[in-house]
Amino acid sequence: MNWEAVVFWAMATLVLVPAFAIVFSRNIVHMAFWLLGTLMGVSGLYLLLGADFLGMTQIFVYIGGINVLLLFGIMLTRSEPVYVRRLAKRPKLAPGLIIGAFTAFTLVSALLGAGWRNVPGEPTETAGILGAFLLSEYILPFEIISVLLLVVLIGAAYIARRGSREGAE
Amino acid sequence: MQTQAYLVVATLIFLIGAMGFLIRRNILVLFMSIELMLNGAAMLFVTFSRQLRQMDGHVFVFFIIALAAAEAAVGLSILIAIFRLKHRVNVDELTELKG
């Protein structure tokens, strides 16, 4: 077992165990912190796949941004204790579990039976190539997404503030 | 490490997220499940980007991360607005749009 396999299995465990914990946990604050583990594991797998820029972006945006945002959402919407009802009501629980397990079995067996050509990737520095792509071939989606982020910034602030202003009137 | 190992992990992340979306009822937990599904899909992009030796997958993952941030921001502000009105975050009880 070489070092790459060791790191891979460590990261896969770091991804999958917290993912299960999110779905089946009961304490919503714990769930947000389990999500941190999954996101860090995915970032490690990106680094292992040779995507250094994406791995760092994953940590900055997901852990620094989205996870903190989720914690703020939990803090602002807590009317009852931290504990949430564990799972859906009975009629919805069984179909979800059955569909999930069946799809997992089908997809994983198909993936394992497909016989992929193994391409050992040479680790390269990807930020420069990605920047060149974003400013040449993908310039239009890049500009559109920058406008979208501006719209989201204004829209999110407006939606979240409107209720408080109406409440004050 | 072999390509299929990464593919299996990505598929399992996506399916755990999908299962969580089906069996949980709190909006915040549904958000976390959506993030899991997006992460699984993004990991497939990165894996195939390495397999095919093309960088286009990385660009798409970049866009996926930006869209996930946008979705989380708008979704949480809508959630806060709903909570101010209804004081509930359980999707089974929020049936005002059902008609």
Side-chain angles (χ1 to χ4, degrees):
Chain A
M1 222 161 149
N2 55 350
W3 67 268
E4 197 190 351
V6 175
V7 177
F8 173 81
W9 288 114
M11 287 300 161
T13 316
L14 183 60
V15 167
L16 292 176
V17 172
F20 268 109
I22 290 167
V23 174
F24 293 105
S25 167
R26 193 166 148 73
N27 185 324
I28 195 164
V29 179
H30 288 181
M31 278 191 243
F33 282 100
W34 282 118
L35 187 68
L36 196 101
T38 299
L39 297 175
M40 280 176 68
V42 170
S43 162
L45 286 174
Y46 283 172
L47 294 178
L48 209 54
L49 280 165
D52 51 354
F53 180 74
L54 286 178
M56 286 300 125
T57 313
Q58 169 93 3
I59 290 182
F60 288 149
V61 177
Y62 267 106
I63 298 176
I66 295 178
N67 212 345
V68 174
L69 212 59
L70 278 170
L71 280 169
F72 266 98
I74 293 168
M75 187 182 79
L76 291 174
T77 60
R78 227 182 57 192
S79 61
E80 53 205 28
V82 197
Y83 294 100
V84 291
R85 193 189 305 154
R86 186 183 287 269
L87 298 169
K89 283 173 192 155
R90 186 62 51 183
K92 284 178 184 147
L93 179 57
L97 290 176
I98 291 168
I99 289 170
F102 181 73
T103 319
F105 173 73
T106 313
L107 282 177
V108 168
S109 58
L111 283 175
L112 290 178
W116 300 95
R117 211 159 30 88
N118 197 22
V119 188
E122 290 289 312
T124 50
E125 182 266 325
T126 62
I129 310 172
L130 199 61
F133 258 119
L134 281 176
L135 288 181
S136 59
E137 207 174 326
Y138 292 97
I139 181 80
L140 184 63
F142 183 62
E143 293 296 333
I144 290 175
I145 216 158
S146 66
V147 175
L148 175 90
L149 285 175
L150 178 67
V151 171
V152 163
L153 196 69
I154 299 170
Y158 176 69
I159 294 172
R161 283 190 66 173
R162 194 175 48 186
S164 66
R165 200 178 59 211
E166 283 169 0
E169 279 168 3
Chain B
M1 206 56 206
Q2 297 211 340
T3 302
Q4 53 198 13
Y6 290 101
L7 295 179
V8 169
V9 171
T11 310
L12 287 179
I13 301 172
F14 180 86
L15 285 169
I16 292 169
M19 216 160 66
F21 197 87
L22 289 174
I23 67 177
R24 302 302 298 250
R25 295 295 95 193
N26 186 303
I27 296 183
L28 281 159
V29 188
L30 298 191
F31 272 124
M32 295 181 201
S33 303
I34 292 173
E35 302 300 341
L36 285 183
M37 286 195 275
L38 285 170
N39 268 290
M43 230 181 96
L44 281 183
F45 270 113
V46 178
T47 310
F48 278 112
S49 192
R50 187 186 73 155
Q51 175 85 2
L52 302 173
R53 294 186 178 285
Q54 286 179 340
M55 287 292 292
D56 299 59
H58 287 208
V59 181
F60 276 95
V61 174
F62 190 72
F63 288 142
I64 288 175
I65 292 176
L67 280 176
E71 169 257 330
V74 172
L76 283 170
S77 62
I78 292 176
L79 168 67
I80 289 170
I82 291 176
F83 182 77
R84 284 216 180 100
L85 281 175
K86 300 283 171 197
H87 290 279
R88 277 174 302 196
V89 287
N90 188 321
V91 289
D92 279 338
E93 296 166 0
L94 297 171
T95 54
E96 277 74 22
L97 287 178
K98 213 172 178 179

